[in-house]
Amino acid sequence: MKRFLYFFAFTSFLVGCENSNKNSETKISQQETFPDATDQVNFGIVIHGGAGSIREKNMSDSTKIAYAEKLEEAIRTGHEILKNGGTAVDAVRETINVMENSPLFNSGKGAVFAHDGTNQLDASIMDGKTLKAGAVAGVTTVKNPINLAFQVMVNSPHVMLYGDGAEEFAKLQGVELVDPSYFYTEDSYKALQRVKTAEKKKYKTEKTVFYNARIKDYKYGTVGAVALDKNGNLAAGTSTGGMTNKRWNRIGDSPIIGAGTYANNKTCAISCTGWGEYFIRGVAAYDVSAMMEYGGKSLQEAAEIVIHEKLPSVGGGGLIGIDSEGNMVAEFNTPGMFRAMMDEQGKLEIAMFEE
């Protein structure tokens, strides 16, 4: 496992930042002490904000701080729910809401653009206690897709809804809708134009599949969270805007239970991020759980096998996980993955780059 790096580990790169930034770094690496910490049952939460070509040399100090602060806000939101006895499902959903509402991530507000200039959003959530799950794909007006996935899980007999049908269900459930223009961000729009320009230079025909060697250099991360609550229940959730320049209503792994999201109280909760087609082919999230349940592997061992042995043969990405004992992992085979974890003692770790 790549050792989690505290955010203060790269303070050497922040020389010259204002004191307020330094105070933020100190706060991020601190450990809270709860009055009854020694008597508490295990609980914890792990989050990710996407994996891929996340390189320290390409990020300014201010950008690093912005991501670290948003990751901290998100994980503390879920941790507070868990600390107060809330459910893992609620912690996952509300944590993901924070990231969906930020333009920093490829989910909700910051979703990337498809080839036709629309933002097509996918999400899923799973309850490890009941094995119930909900998912949505290809929605364009739902502000927080993870909330709609939750409604599918608790208020419908189905697991996955798509497109217009999903948005009709959202109206019936009172899920917040927005004009599609809400999802516009300049960075995501410019990324689409760069990919299209590169595509035109390389290919002369529309018959050529759009996934080319250069697309991997553009934003395609998801956001996700996994949690264990004080009652011993696990949950996982994932939300994404998919891949820049995706065509033909492409759907990735994020809304597919077993591929991008999985939770089972017997084993673990998993959320994946990266090139979705490869996670679908490898049924990556469930594969971790299966190795634990049927092969006797630990969460750490299973995650390492999936990410560093199985996945590299077809594609890149990462995953986060937590098991029924509160053990946490964040594994990836790309240059970086935005990630954070926080346990029952209040120990917070935030990292972005590979070790």
Side-chain angles (χ1 to χ4, degrees), residues 7-8 10-30 61 65 69 72:
F7 185 63
F8 65 74
F10 51 78
T11 53
S12 60
F13 298 98
L14 304 182
V15 175
C17 290
E18 297 180 356
N19 289 336
S20 61
N21 291 339
K22 294 180 180 178
N23 291 338
S24 176
E25 294 162 19
T26 302
K27 179 180 65 174
I28 288 169
S29 63
Q30 71 185 8
D61 293 344
I65 291 170
E69 289 180 343
E72 181 182 11

Side-chain angles (χ1 to χ4, degrees), residues 3-162:
R3 181 174 56 83
F4 246 70
L5 303 177
Y6 294 128
F7 185 63
F8 65 74
F10 51 78
T11 53
S12 60
F13 298 98
L14 304 182
V15 175
C17 290
E18 297 180 356
N19 289 336
S20 61
N21 291 339
K22 294 180 180 178
N23 291 338
S24 176
E25 294 162 19
T26 302
K27 179 180 65 174
I28 288 169
S29 63
Q30 71 185 8
Q31 177 170 326
E32 297 177 355
T33 302
F34 303 138
D36 58 343
T38 57
D39 299 325
Q40 288 188 23
V41 296
N42 288 343
F43 70 90
I45 182 169
V46 190
I47 68 174
H48 69 74
S53 297
I54 301 168
R55 301 179 187 275
E56 190 167 8
K57 66 180 181 180
N58 296 332
M59 294 180 66
S60 67
D61 293 344
S62 60
T63 300
K64 295 174 192 174
I65 291 170
Y67 273 103
E69 289 180 343
K70 187 56 64 174
L71 288 168
E72 181 182 11
E73 178 189 348
I75 200 166
R76 286 192 182 278
T77 296
H79 190 270
E80 188 70 14
I81 293 170
L82 298 171
K83 186 176 75 171
N84 293 328
T87 68
V89 168
D90 283 344
V92 163
R93 182 174 57 83
E94 295 198 28
T95 295
I96 290 176
N97 280 169
V98 173
M99 293 186 283
E100 285 178 329
N101 292 339
S102 170
L104 292 174
F105 304 102
N106 176 17
S107 174
K109 175 61 179 174
V112 299
F113 283 87
H115 183 79
D116 64 0
T118 63
N119 306 99
Q120 302 167 12
L121 313 178
D122 308 331
S124 65
I125 193 166
M126 186 168 185
D127 183 344
K129 178 182 179 180
T130 63
L131 300 186
K132 290 184 177 180
V136 295
V139 295
T140 60
T141 63
V142 178
K143 181 181 180 183
N144 296 104
I146 195 69
N147 292 348
L148 181 54
F150 173 78
Q151 292 298 327
V152 173
M153 179 174 72
V154 300
N155 287 321
S156 86
H158 307 302
V159 171
M160 183 185 291
L161 300 181
Y162 171 77

